[in-house]
Amino acid sequence: MNRLAAILTPGQVLVDVDASSKKRVFEQAGLLFENQNAIARATVTDNLFARERLGSTGLGHGVAIPHGRIKGLKNPLAAVIRLSQPIPFDAPDDEPVNLLIFLLVPEAATQRHLEILSEIAELLSDRELRERLKTETSAAEVHGLIERWQPLKSVA
């Protein structure tokens, strides 16, 4: 199982979400983590914006990996939000984003955090898979695609 699938539950995948801006989609993520994981939505959105101020987490090709460190969090958490309409995200290719994979990690989770981010970037670099993640109609199928994906190199 890949690192993302290990921390992504089916309930943490939303498709066709209406959000007109980065602020709105971060609020949606905050609400999702609050409802599913009992983390205050303001904590989530504040941490996501703090990281975003360092530079956009948009990768290009319509995808982004917003992430943040959460004080008191015991284990990494993930969520996938696909938007019904792409939004501006300051990505390197200036393309708007409609697929976001959110990652929250404990405050001190440096190496594990980087390993998970690296695997998510690898997953999103697969053009065919990325397009399927952006077009599948159900959240369950999006989750299944992520669950079945295997990274090229497995680190023991």
Side-chain angles (χ1 to χ4, degrees):
M1 178 181 289
N2 67 69
R3 288 177 173 92
L4 176 58
I7 61 171
L8 181 68
T9 65
Q12 300 281 99
V13 179
L14 302 177
V15 297
D16 296 327
V17 171
D18 284 321
S20 55
S21 66
K22 192 183 288 192
K23 180 180 190 303
R24 295 283 179 253
V25 75
F26 283 10
E27 288 168 353
Q28 286 282 339
L31 188 61
L32 181 62
F33 283 113
E34 183 175 81
N35 290 337
Q36 300 273 332
N37 308 103
I39 302 169
R41 71 181 86 171
T43 300
V44 173
T45 56
D46 290 352
N47 277 280
L48 292 173
F49 274 115
R51 168 56 189 85
E52 207 65 24
R53 280 191 288 278
L54 301 174
S56 176
T57 55
L59 299 182
H61 304 288
V63 298
I65 312 173
H67 53 280
R69 297 175 187 274
I70 306 290
K71 189 174 184 170
L73 189 65
K74 300 282 184 248
N75 294 298
L77 298 170
V80 175
I81 296 180
R82 192 178 72 215
L83 303 175
S84 54
Q85 295 296 315
I87 57 169
F89 215 88
D90 301 320
D93 62 1
D94 289 323
E95 280 194 35
V97 164
N98 76 327
L99 178 66
L100 301 98
I101 299 180
F102 290 88
L103 177 64
L104 301 182
V105 296
E107 207 169 28
T110 52
Q111 186 59 35
R112 187 164 179 206
H113 177 190
L114 295 174
E115 289 167 358
I116 297 167
L117 277 173
S118 173
E119 264 196 20
I120 294 170
E122 183 182 335
L123 176 145
L124 292 172
S125 70
D126 178 331
R127 187 173 58 86
E128 185 182 322
L129 178 60
R130 184 177 64 238
E131 292 312 310
R132 288 192 64 196
L133 290 170
K134 289 162 73 173
T135 56
E136 284 296 339
T137 54
S138 78
E141 186 54 30
V142 169
H143 183 266
L145 287 170
I146 292 169
E147 202 171 49
R148 291 186 298 272
W149 177 80
Q150 290 299 316
L152 292 176
K153 58 189 181 325
S154 183
V155 180

